[in-house]
Amino acid sequence: MHFINILGKRPVVAVADDPPLDRTRNIGMAAHIDAGKTTTTERVLFYTGRIHRMGEVDDGDAQMDWMPQEMERGITITAAATTCFWGGHRINIIDTPGHVDFTVEVERSVRVLDGLVTILCAVGGVQPQSETVWRQADKYRVPRVIFVNKMDRIGANFHDVLHQIRSRLGANAVAIQLPIGAEERFEGVIDLIRRRALYWVDDLGTQIEEAAIPENLESLAEQFREHLVVTLGELDPVVEERYLAGEEPSEEELHAALRRATLGFRAVPVLCGSALRNKGIQPLLDAVVRYLPSPEDMPDVVGINPRTGSEERRRHDPTEHFCALVFKVQNDPFVGQLHYLRVYSGRLKRGDTVLNARLGQRQRVTKLLRMHANRREELEQARAGDIVAAVGLADTVTGDTLCTPARPIALEPPTFPEPVISTAIEPRTRAEEQKVVSALERLVREDPTLRLRTDKETGQYILSGMGELHLEIVVDRMRREFGVDARVGKPMVSYRETVLGSAVADVEFDRILAGKRHRVGLAVRVASASGGQNSARFGRIESDVPAVLLDAAVAAIRDSFDAGPLAGYPVLGVDAVVERVLYDPDNSTELAFRSAASQAFREAYLSARPALLEPVMRVEVVTPEAHMGDVVNDLNARRADIREIRASAGNTQTIVAFVPLANVFGYSTVLRSLTQGRGTYTMQPERYDPVPLERQAEILGQTY
């Protein structure tokens, strides 16, 4: 056996500040809450020399959890970016939240990343947010490696987690390590490719003892290595040729085959360790640079030329025309608004003028920054493959594309879920109203899952978000960052409206306003739309109506989607078509078209069986088996649709159910009471369903 001093073996800074593009990795750390994601990131930064002391989440001094709310609660709330170096590779890292209320941070981060480290708890395994993150990575075609963390915890079971990865995520999980021991006896890992055992012998985890595989694990290790080789042989012709010839593939051939399989979404390497005990992080870093892609490995980015509507492509190349996607906006007390960019092609220098493809406006970048959580390092330029922050981009929002003015391109923005919960906010005094509005508008600009509207009846500001914790954090930030102490109401369900049938309304608008006659006749058909998306359009109009007037009518209908005629909630899944027009060339004005379209839409909507929709949550409850009957009965009383009950670790049962959000307010207190404090639950938005008629009547203040 011999010792390896990790900090002595590997460079802790880059060979050059600007390594080749093939030595760049843009990765994210993503996991269910409490899987140890930020702790793992903290160890990565320590072993790469980016920091010189490891902070702890529970102590509130983790480098990546810099917000006061994160330090106090011990959870990650906002995605934080940093850069480190390992083996001559630059690794740009985004540490994302694990709580479902802040899933927007994961969504917009995954949209711009090339690779993802998915962290699973060795006890909890594949949990609800693990599945959500996995689906997000599938949507954006992001290759992954998996790190099974917390092997030192009571109940840790690496093999059970492997089974869950295959059965619940549908992934071809390929173990490249096995744990040596588990729970309090967890000592190290077996490297299956090299056939060696690795032990971390000092408290900081900087020295690794390399030894032969323990005798009691030799048979199991050979069994798993055989599975690794056979799996790669089925996926890769090089390994297949070796295997069929009865030859042993070399380590380099196995690494190369596993990299090709990972980049091709045919396999997912699985490693294990304990970040809190400083075990297993260095091999994880090796896996990041070996198996996850560089920007050069990614397909060309594809967008639309906003001027011509034709398809545009950009290679991941610093010599290409510049384009970058704004994936995050953040308020900064020192420099104003920071706009986080993923640079896909070309170069961007401080002081350059770029085109905002959505706005069609030129904007000047006054500063370029490399971020380490909330700390800033000024840069002269950024190139293809970089993740940086820019200052000076007025009116730019999340999802905007910045590009060379002479060669415009608009990239596909990330998509975000609809908010499901609302609260009323009002200033304590009239003098503070503008401060409240300004603070809310800045926070909404930063977070695409926040919505702000004014209640027409009460005059209150209604703020909608992804959950109770989400809104609680926003209100706390208003007080701390903006000095605004507003009155806040109780959380309310954020309903939606739709129609279940179809109807047509024919309206003639004829008014004289300011001495001018405004006259038009419109027929609008409203019907339920498949797919849950709204659409407003005009059909085949026989009369010669100017397109600008028809566009005005369609725009008016789209504006009506923001506050539905039934109860003022946003409209979902409605198709509206302008079918007929009685056009008067002398008097049919844009005002007439807009007014008639709004009125016709309202009348048709109210005749097409309007209905309220309520958010339904996917709730996963873990309870001791002795209390399962009480928990199930309580869920049934909450209108739950129970879909699955399965045995879990430690004589517990997991119940998966779909429950209306209105019926799970305060559920944590009830669950603690039912299970003597031993039950836990998680929930996330699943869909919108029609509200039962009795409940709809209550909400609308009617008598059923």
Side-chain angles (χ1 to χ4, degrees):
M1 67 178 64
H2 64 280
F3 291 90
I4 305 172
N5 187 312
I6 290 297
L7 293 181
K9 179 184 177 185
R10 298 190 180 276
V12 298
V13 294
V15 176
D17 284 341
D18 200 16
L21 202 56
D22 65 349
R23 287 180 168 265
T24 296
R25 300 290 184 271
N26 291 312
I27 68 163
M29 298 285 190
H32 186 89
I33 192 169
D34 287 336
K37 170 180 43 55
T38 299
T39 301
T40 302
T41 306
E42 200 77 7
R43 270 57 181 173
V44 165
L45 297 178
F46 178 74
Y47 296 126
T48 58
R50 188 66 177 81
I51 61 176
H52 302 289
R53 186 185 70 83
M54 290 180 280
E56 301 295 346
V57 173
D58 292 342
D59 296 337
D61 61 355
Q63 295 277 324
M64 304 303 283
D65 285 348
W66 57 271
M67 293 175 64
Q69 294 85 356
E70 293 176 317
M71 297 177 188
E72 292 166 1
R73 290 169 170 80
I75 62 171
T76 302
I77 292 170
T78 185
T82 189
T83 298
C84 59
F85 295 90
W86 183 254
H89 291 72
R90 172 189 283 154
I91 305 177
N92 298 316
I93 301 174
I94 299 180
D95 180 40
T96 65
H99 197 288
V100 66
D101 282 17
F102 310 106
T103 191
V104 59
E105 298 289 334
V106 185
E107 182 80 19
R108 59 184 172 189
S109 299
V110 172
R111 168 64 181 84
V112 299
L113 292 170
D114 300 329
L116 196 68
V117 176
T118 302
I119 299 172
L120 302 177
C121 173
V123 180
V126 176
Q127 296 168 284
Q129 187 65 4
S130 313
E131 296 182 69
T132 300
V133 169
W134 200 263
R135 288 194 298 269
Q136 289 169 319
D138 281 341
K139 179 168 70 172
Y140 294 115
R141 300 288 291 169
V142 179
R144 280 140 277 181
V145 300
I146 292 175
F147 181 64
V148 180
N149 191 28
K150 300 192 175 185
M151 283 302 307
D152 60 312
R153 274 192 57 194
I154 295 174
N157 190 324
F158 178 75
H159 303 283
D160 186 47
V161 176
L162 270 181
H163 173 72
Q164 290 183 39
I165 294 169
R166 292 165 181 151
S167 61
R168 298 183 63 181
L169 299 180
N172 185 14
V174 178
I176 60 173
Q177 291 180 346
L178 287 181
I180 301 174
E183 302 179 337
E184 72 276 3
R185 296 186 301 277
F186 176 64
E187 299 178 62
V189 301
I190 296 171
D191 183 332
L192 293 173
I193 292 180
R194 297 178 56 228
R195 287 189 170 106
R196 300 293 287 173
L198 304 177
Y199 300 91
W200 282 260
V201 296
D202 64 324
D203 290 340
L204 288 178
T206 58
Q207 287 191 329
I208 300 178
E209 175 188 308
E210 187 178 297
I213 297 172
E215 288 185 10
N216 64 320
L217 293 176
E218 279 184 350
S219 175
L220 183 65
E222 281 305 308
Q223 177 184 335
F224 268 80
R225 192 179 192 281
E226 178 73 9
H227 178 266
L228 167 65
V229 173
V230 169
T231 300
L232 290 179
E234 294 171 349
L235 302 174
D236 191 271
V238 175
V239 177
E240 180 186 37
E241 184 179 341
R242 291 281 196 187
Y243 185 78
L244 294 178
E247 300 174 358
E248 184 73 18
S250 68
E251 292 178 16
E252 291 74 19
E253 288 171 335
L254 291 175
H255 286 312
L258 188 52
R259 175 179 175 79
R260 289 189 289 269
T262 303
L263 300 191
F265 304 97
R266 300 189 303 276
V268 181
V270 182
L271 303 90
C272 60
S274 169
L276 186 63
R277 304 301 173 206
N278 308 320
K279 297 176 180 179
I281 304 302
Q282 297 92 340
L284 175 61
L285 281 163
D286 286 339
V288 165
V289 300
R290 277 182 181 141
Y291 308 129
L292 292 183
S294 73
E296 287 187 344
D297 296 311
M298 304 301 290
D300 294 350
V301 288
V302 180
I304 300 296
N305 186 318
R307 294 171 185 164
T308 66
S310 59
E311 183 179 280
E312 292 274 344
R313 289 180 174 270
R314 295 288 186 273
R315 290 178 293 110
H316 298 269
D317 188 336
T319 64
E320 263 272 23
H321 294 285
F322 167 74
C323 81
L325 185 71
V326 178
F327 67 93
K328 179 179 172 71
V329 179
Q330 178 179 304
N331 293 306
D332 187 281
F334 301 104
V335 298
Q337 282 195 329
L338 290 174
H339 292 80
Y340 284 75
L341 315 177
R342 164 63 197 269
V343 182
Y344 284 105
S345 62
R347 293 182 182 269
L348 176 65
K349 297 180 181 178
R350 185 180 64 173
D352 278 356
T353 297
V354 297
L355 178 72
N356 182 311
R358 176 182 63 87
L359 298 173
Q361 295 177 358
R362 297 189 179 212
Q363 299 178 333
R364 184 172 177 270
V365 177
T366 56
K367 284 186 179 181
L368 280 174
L369 306 169
R370 178 168 288 133
M371 302 299 295
H372 176 59
N374 64 330
R375 287 182 282 178
R376 300 167 296 278
E377 171 194 340
E378 290 206 27
L379 300 173
E380 287 299 317
Q381 70 169 355
R383 61 161 196 178
D386 283 346
I387 293 176
V388 297
V391 179
L393 302 173
D395 301 322
T396 296
V397 298
T398 299
D400 282 354
T401 302
L402 305 178
C403 54
T404 303
R407 289 291 302 273
I409 183 174
L411 304 178
E412 181 184 359
T415 56
F416 303 111
E418 289 292 315
V420 297
I421 191 170
S422 302
T423 190
I425 295 179
E426 58 184 28
R428 294 191 180 275
T429 65
R430 296 291 293 177
E432 289 188 330
E433 182 168 4
Q434 189 53 47
K435 288 179 65 178
V436 169
V437 173
S438 176
L440 288 172
E441 286 178 345
R442 291 181 67 179
L443 289 167
V444 168
R445 184 183 180 88
E446 182 179 304
D447 186 344
T449 56
L450 286 175
R451 300 283 191 279
L452 181 65
R453 64 182 177 90
T454 304
D455 188 294
K456 294 178 181 178
E457 295 182 4
T458 66
Q460 294 174 311
Y461 297 103
I462 306 299
L463 184 69
S464 303
M466 298 305 299
E468 293 179 80
L469 179 61
H470 188 199
L471 296 181
E472 181 186 327
I473 294 295
V474 170
V475 171
D476 190 49
R477 290 187 61 194
M478 282 178 58
R479 179 175 57 83
R480 295 194 196 205
E481 295 177 27
F482 301 98
V484 175
D485 189 17
R487 283 194 290 264
V488 181
K490 291 183 178 180
M492 307 170 291
V493 175
S494 184
Y495 292 99
R496 294 291 183 269
E497 295 185 19
T498 193
V499 295
L500 303 179
S502 64
V504 179
D506 217 326
V507 166
E508 182 175 347
F509 183 86
D510 192 353
R511 299 283 190 280
I512 296 177
L513 301 171
K516 165 72 176 171
R517 189 176 189 185
H518 303 268
R519 180 172 180 266
V520 73
L522 283 182
V524 174
R525 176 179 293 278
V526 169
S528 177
S530 60
Q533 299 297 316
N534 294 327
S535 67
R537 52 199 168 86
F538 50 85
R540 296 185 61 183
I541 307 300
E542 294 181 0
S543 57
D544 188 18
V545 183
V548 66
L549 297 180
L550 290 172
D551 290 341
V554 169
I557 294 172
R558 288 186 178 133
D559 290 343
S560 299
F561 290 154
D562 295 336
L566 181 63
Y569 292 109
V571 172
L572 201 65
V574 168
D575 181 35
V577 184
V578 179
E579 291 192 333
R580 293 188 300 277
V581 176
L582 294 177
Y583 175 59
D584 179 348
D586 295 325
N587 298 304
S588 290
T589 62
E590 186 173 326
L591 172 63
F593 268 82
R594 290 187 65 91
S595 300
S598 296
Q599 185 179 339
F601 172 78
R602 177 180 178 83
E603 292 182 10
Y605 185 98
L606 293 174
S607 300
R609 295 170 54 210
L612 288 183
L613 299 172
E614 62 183 347
V616 175
M617 314 300 285
R618 184 183 193 274
V619 179
E620 193 160 311
V621 184
V622 179
T623 175
E625 193 167 4
H627 303 289
M628 190 178 70
D630 292 335
V631 172
V632 169
N633 289 337
D634 179 74
L635 286 172
N636 285 329
R638 296 172 186 272
R639 290 198 286 134
D641 175 14
I642 296 176
R643 291 299 182 90
E644 181 183 4
I645 298 176
R646 62 174 182 268
S648 304
N651 199 30
T652 62
Q653 296 284 324
T654 296
I655 305 164
V656 179
F658 296 138
V659 191
L661 175 61
N663 295 347
V664 287
F665 283 140
Y667 183 60
S668 56
T669 302
V670 174
L671 183 63
R672 282 196 296 268
S673 174
L674 291 173
T675 61
Q676 299 177 0
R678 297 167 63 197
T680 61
Y681 82 102
T682 57
M683 68 176 182
Q684 60 190 29
E686 179 68 22
R687 62 176 186 265
Y688 280 89
D689 279 351
V691 177
L693 291 178
E694 305 95 314
R695 177 62 183 146
Q696 178 170 309
E698 284 180 38
I699 296 167
L700 299 177
Q702 301 169 349
T703 302
Y704 178 71

